[in-house]
Amino acid sequence: LEVYCAYLRGFQSFAERTSGQPCRLPLVIMASGDTESGIRALLESGNYFGLEKEQVTILVQEKVAALASSDALLSMEGPYKVGTKPHGHG
């Protein structure tokens, strides 16, 4: 995250120098329910790595049924519970 934030800050500076206008680019992070709190803690402990807090948006992906194999069998967490994964993860 620190590298992405540094890149955005650099690009913002370049855009401001060349355009003479203020520039604030958004950073949108896709997270799962499992990773959201860790990402927020990392951003807060790093003071958003030089970005303004309002520039950063965390989108939490919903969970969907997970496949267990390329045969399209559902992943099962138990005899009556379908396994899930965050939607959008490849």
Side-chain angles (χ1 to χ4, degrees):
L1 281 175
E2 186 173 0
V3 172
Y4 287 115
C5 292
Y7 178 79
L8 284 177
R9 289 192 327 270
F11 196 82
Q12 287 174 168
S13 294
F14 173 77
E16 289 174 349
R17 280 193 316 274
T18 57
S19 73
Q21 302 291 321
C23 177
R24 290 296 172 265
L25 297 171
L27 174 62
V28 180
I29 302 168
M30 293 187 74
S32 69
D34 300 332
T35 61
E36 177 191 13
S37 63
I39 291 170
R40 285 192 192 281
L42 179 62
L43 286 165
E44 289 170 6
S45 71
N47 198 26
Y48 288 81
F49 302 106
L51 297 179
E52 297 169 12
K53 183 177 180 178
E54 296 76 25
Q55 286 179 262
V56 181
T57 301
I58 299 175
L59 300 176
V60 179
Q61 303 175 82
E62 298 295 324
K63 290 195 172 190
V64 296
L67 297 178
S69 70
S70 60
D71 294 328
L73 298 173
L74 289 175
S75 172
M76 302 299 291
E77 292 182 12
Y80 305 104
K81 185 172 182 183
V82 174
T84 60
K85 66 176 184 74
H87 189 318
H89 285 204

